[in-house]
């Protein structure tokens, strides 16, 4: 039975209620987590406030950095154990689970190094004045983490928040908590003070909602669906609590006729297959210049036909989707595509050895998807790639920008001037030229425009979101 992590104690929910954890590869329950409620959030926020006013506010930036570095090393020493937990929880193939555990190591390491490098400015002002800006932590921060990359998303938000001097209350996804609870224990072992990090498990509309409503929470970072992001923003607005929202995307991979296709193809495929397509920055739309549309689709068909989904321990191209409802959702998209006459170019396989009760979905490549179709507009969150042709640069830009989202874009061309023109015109938070970073890049500021959200996580930029700027003007004559 997994337990909440409050003030460095492992404890059940106050009500004693639990939720089953389902193994997505088998479709059966294997553990339970606490089904917490608002009273558990109250306790977590009180513990965080006590830590904040007690010791954490007085902990120097250098000391916070040392703690984060020690935590990073402890996580590094346990990557296999943590990867195994996340693999069981989320159904990730071994290489993906290990990559995620190692990304957490890097996040903690990066923010350990950044902790004592967050500086304000001096501002030239009138004669007789000196003006300084200080970057001050918010205090008690709330973090709502989804199930697709628990360790990575925890690393980027909690690592940044603690480095900047905040304390944290985390609500992990009900589908995937186990790795984070173990990571918290490792933090306790290296000396994270009681209350600096608290993890409260439970349902989004109960415990997540209670976290967002709590008057003691002074900043919220949320990664998840646009629908819940909108709700959170509305609730937080009532008490003017700042929020950082990362709400996914429908990210385009734009391939021009002069691109190095040998380099592009494996990256384009991986960007939709990684984590079974359950990646906010998945490259889920493929825009191809018409003159290479057919030959590129033919080459991709060969690759897609060879892709295999199976049990996580088999370490194939993809594991199961997270839960039955996610599989139903992806299949509903595919049924609609079929009903609307959208052609399938190629489909991978679910291997025969995959447990029949697991939530497996073979990768699918669709072609000529109309720009306004759901498959070209909505986040499927599964291994489904929608291809469409474009005639020129202007149309590529128009198609790239024609969704409500704007998270990441990939541009494949050897023409240097076009690389710049496209990067400037595509509306998204990140643009990758002749590469693509679905989920990668601890150092790279990450976040969206439009319905993909606002605020930036990852990199040094995240620290600005986890702090508030105070301007101090001295009149000294
Ligand atoms: P979700 O938005 O419902 O859940 C994400 C997190 O928010 C979870 O921790 C959940 O418990 C919490 N939550 C849910 N309702 C809440 C509420 N009312 N108040 C506070 N917290 C709440 O996402 P989901 O149902 O797990 O997935 C649905 C869809 O969301 C997916 O198909 C996908 O399109 C998208 N999604 C995107 C990302 C991303 O990285 N951008 C991650 C997960 C899901």
């Amino acid at each position: 039975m997994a337990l909440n992590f409050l003030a460095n104690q492992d404890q059940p929910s106050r009500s004693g209620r639990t939720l089953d954890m389902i193994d997505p590869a088998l479709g059966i329950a294997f553990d339970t987590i606490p089904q917490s409620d608002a009273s558990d959030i109250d306790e977590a926020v009180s513990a965080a406030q006590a830590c904040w006013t007690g010791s954490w506010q007085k902990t120097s930036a250098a000391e916070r950095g040392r703690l984060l570095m020690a935590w990073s090393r402890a996580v590094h020493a346990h990557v296999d154990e943590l990867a195994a937990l996340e693999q069981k929880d989320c159904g990730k193939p071994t290489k993906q689970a290990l990559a995620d555990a190692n990304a957490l190591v890097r996040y903690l390491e990066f923010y350990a190094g950044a902790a004592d490098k967050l500086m304000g400015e001096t501002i030239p002002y009138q004669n007789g004045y000196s003006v300084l800006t200080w970057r001050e932590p918010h205090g008690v921060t709330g973090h709502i983490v989804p199930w697709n990359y628990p360790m990575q998303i925890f690393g980027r938000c909690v690592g940044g928040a603690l480095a900047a001097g905040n304390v944290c209350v985390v609500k992990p996804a009900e589908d995937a908590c186990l790795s984070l609870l173990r990571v918290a224990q490792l933090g306790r072992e290296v000396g994270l003070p009681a209350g600096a990090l608290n993890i409260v498990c439970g349902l989004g509309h109960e415990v997540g909602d209670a976290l967002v409503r709590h008057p003691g929470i002074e900043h919220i970072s949320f990664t998840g669906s646009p629908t819940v992001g909108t709700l959170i923003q509305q609730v937080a607005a009532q008490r003017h609590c700042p929020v950082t929202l990362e709400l996914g995307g429908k990210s385009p991979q734009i391939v021009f006729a002069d691109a190095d296709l040998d380099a592009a193809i494996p990256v384009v495929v991986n960007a939709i297959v990684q984590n079974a397509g359950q990646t906010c920055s998945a490259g889920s739309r493929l825009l191809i210049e018409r003159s290479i549309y057919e030959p590129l689709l033919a080459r991709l068909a060969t690759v897609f036909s060879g892709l295999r989904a199976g049990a996580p321990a088999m370490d194939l191209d993809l594991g199961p989707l997270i839960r039955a409802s996610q599989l139903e959702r992806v299949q509903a998209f595919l049924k609609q595509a079929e009903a609307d006459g959208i052609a399938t170019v190629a489909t991978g396989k679910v291997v025969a050895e995959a447990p029949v009760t697991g939530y497996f979905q073979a990768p699918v490549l669709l072609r000529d998807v109309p720009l306004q179709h759901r498959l070209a507009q909505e986040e499927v969150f599964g291994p489904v790639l929608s291809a469409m042709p474009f005639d020129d640069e202007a149309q590529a830009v128009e198609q790239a920008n024609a969704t409500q989202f704007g998270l990441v874009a990939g541009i494949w061309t050897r023409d240097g001037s076009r690389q710049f023109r496209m990067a400037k015109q595509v509306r998204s938070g990140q643009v990758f030229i002749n590469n693509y970073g679905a989920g990668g890049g601890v150092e790279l500021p990450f976040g969206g425009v439009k319905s993909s959200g606002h605020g930036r996580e990852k990199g040094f930029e995240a620290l600005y979101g986890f702090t508030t700027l105070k301007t101090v003007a001295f009149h000294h004559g």
Side-chain angles (χ1 to χ4, degrees), residues 1-5 19-22 30-36 82 85-90 145-151 154 170-185 199-204 207 322:
M1 185 170 94
L3 298 171
N4 285 335
F5 186 86
L19 291 168
D20 282 342
M21 298 297 285
I22 308 293
F30 68 98
D31 202 347
T32 62
I33 57 165
Q35 184 178 350
S36 312
L82 293 168
L85 284 170
E86 193 142 308
Q87 183 169 49
K88 187 80 175 159
D89 248 1
C90 307
V145 176
W147 42 263
N148 54 343
Y149 291 93
M151 281 193 280
F154 176 92
V170 178
K171 207 303 270 176
E174 43 274 54
D175 306 274
C177 306
L178 300 186
S179 56
L180 302 191
L181 294 167
R182 182 70 187 114
V183 169
Q185 291 171 345
I199 301 184
V200 187
C201 303
L203 298 172
V207 76
I322 188 72

Side-chain angles (χ1 to χ4, degrees), residues 6 77 101 105 225 255 288 341 359 466:
L6 268 78
V105 173
S225 60
V255 187
I288 307 174
Y359 310 134
F466 287 124

Side-chain angles (χ1 to χ4, degrees), residues 296-335:
L296 179 54
L297 285 184
R299 288 185 66 178
L300 285 167
T302 308
V303 182
F304 262 74
S305 309
L307 294 171
R308 292 171 308 150
M314 292 177 77
D315 207 15
L316 302 177
D317 302 300
L318 57 167
L321 302 184
I322 188 72
R323 54 173 119 95
S325 63
Q326 193 66 19
L327 179 61
E328 283 157 20
R329 176 185 153 88
V330 174
Q331 290 177 343
F333 271 101
L334 291 171
K335 275 197 195 102

Side-chain angles (χ1 to χ4, degrees), residues 44-330:
V45 174
S46 297
Q49 282 168 332
C51 177
W52 165 251
T53 51
S55 65
W56 197 244
Q57 257 184 329
K58 299 179 198 101
T59 305
S60 69
E63 183 55 25
R64 293 197 302 270
R66 269 183 225 117
L67 269 170
L68 285 168
M69 189 59 84
W71 198 10
S72 169
R73 290 197 179 116
V75 170
H76 186 249
H78 291 81
V79 281
D80 291 329
E81 179 194 352
L82 293 168
L85 284 170
E86 193 142 308
Q87 183 169 49
K88 187 80 175 159
D89 248 1
C90 307
K92 290 170 189 268
T94 307
K95 55 183 170 302
Q96 181 66 51
L98 278 170
D100 289 1
N102 281 307
L104 171 59
V105 173
R106 265 300 286 149
Y107 276 115
L108 297 178
E109 184 181 62
F110 179 88
Y111 286 115
D116 60 357
K117 294 162 194 74
L118 184 57
M119 294 174 215
E121 295 176 324
T122 59
I123 299 176
Y125 191 50
Q126 299 168 21
N127 270 345
Y129 287 82
S130 290
V131 181
L132 312 179
T133 58
W134 294 337
R135 295 229 159 246
E136 298 187 333
H138 295 288
V140 183
T141 53
H143 305 266
I144 299 178
V145 176
W147 42 263
N148 54 343
Y149 291 93
M151 281 193 280
Q152 290 215 34
I153 292 168
F154 176 92
R156 80 186 189 204
C157 60
V158 169
L162 288 175
N166 302 280
V167 289
C168 303
V169 178
V170 178
K171 207 303 270 176
E174 43 274 54
D175 306 274
C177 306
L178 300 186
S179 56
L180 302 191
L181 294 167
R182 182 70 187 114
V183 169
Q185 291 171 345
L186 295 173
R188 174 173 66 200
E189 284 170 26
V190 300
L192 212 56
L197 168 65
N198 307 276
I199 301 184
V200 187
C201 303
L203 298 172
H205 65 269
E206 289 179 357
V207 76
D209 183 65
L211 178 67
V212 178
R213 286 181 193 281
H214 200 292
I217 296 291
E218 293 173 276
H219 179 275
I220 293 157
S221 70
F222 171 78
T223 303
S225 60
T227 310
V228 174
T230 304
L231 272 177
I232 285 175
Q233 187 157 235
Q234 285 168 342
V235 172
Q238 289 166 28
R239 56 188 186 82
H240 306 289
C241 178
V243 293
T244 300
L245 297 178
E246 201 272 88
L247 308 176
K250 192 74 187 171
S251 297
Q253 295 265 25
I254 309 164
V255 187
F256 286 90
D258 68 342
D260 176 350
L261 297 186
D262 291 340
I265 286 170
V267 178
V268 164
V269 172
N270 187 56
I272 188 63
V273 167
Q274 177 181 321
N275 212 35
Q278 303 168 120
T279 304
C280 47
S281 51
S284 54
R285 290 190 296 146
L286 180 58
L287 316 184
I288 307 174
E289 191 163 7
R290 196 176 295 278
S291 62
I292 58 159
Y293 191 61
E294 297 302 338
L296 179 54
L297 285 184
R299 288 185 66 178
L300 285 167
T302 308
V303 182
F304 262 74
S305 309
L307 294 171
R308 292 171 308 150
M314 292 177 77
D315 207 15
L316 302 177
D317 302 300
L318 57 167
L321 302 184
I322 188 72
R323 54 173 119 95
S325 63
Q326 193 66 19
L327 179 61
E328 283 157 20
R329 176 185 153 88
V330 174

